[in-house]
Amino acid sequence: AVITLKSKAVINLDEIQYIMSDGHYLEFYLTDKKHPEIDRNTIKNIINLLPGNQFVQCHRSYIVNLAEIRSIYANKIILPRYVEIPVSRTFKSRVQKLTNPN
């Protein structure tokens, strides 16, 4: 599955490590690229386009690919290469539900 950005970049969903909101822009951090793809969009808009079983919003500025999560702490998620993503109280229960579906 792919997502097409307003910038016309086509991104394979499996390659997205996480998405970070920066003002009016989103930065798509991909597993195979050093620099993020940047798109003018909102986190609210993009979370509705992404499959809910593959991506979770863990903070008002971050969406994470569930397949990329290496470990979860009280207030952060660790991704490959020791990337730390904050988890806010608002989204904590949703993250726990999706990563530990028992």
Side-chain angles (χ1 to χ4, degrees):
V2 296
I3 187 169
T4 305
L5 305 181
K6 290 179 181 175
S7 64
K8 303 289 186 262
V10 177
I11 297 178
N12 184 334
L13 293 182
D14 296 333
E15 290 176 5
I16 298 173
Q17 211 177 10
Y18 66 97
I19 302 166
M20 184 181 94
S21 169
D22 183 15
H24 294 295
Y25 293 89
L26 293 179
E27 298 178 2
F28 290 78
Y29 288 86
L30 308 179
T31 52
D32 61 345
K33 288 181 86 173
K34 271 196 164 75
H35 302 289
E37 279 291 334
I38 296 179
D39 193 39
R40 188 176 170 90
N41 210 329
T42 64
I43 209 129
K44 188 176 177 198
N45 209 357
I46 215 80
I47 195 73
N48 293 329
L49 298 176
L50 297 169
N53 62 342
Q54 190 178 357
F55 292 90
V56 63
Q57 184 170 358
C58 58
H59 184 277
R60 65 188 178 94
S61 303
Y62 289 92
I63 297 172
V64 173
N65 184 341
L66 292 168
E68 292 291 318
I69 295 175
R70 294 299 169 254
S71 49
I72 298 175
Y73 294 92
N75 60 354
K76 65 184 175 185
I77 291 174
I78 307 295
L79 301 180
R81 298 194 291 275
Y82 304 102
V83 174
E84 286 188 15
I85 305 293
V87 176
S88 63
R89 287 191 305 266
T90 315
F91 296 103
K92 191 173 184 172
S93 63
R94 181 155 171 72
V95 170
Q96 287 170 331
K97 196 165 29 180
L98 283 168
T99 54
N100 195 358
N102 308 358

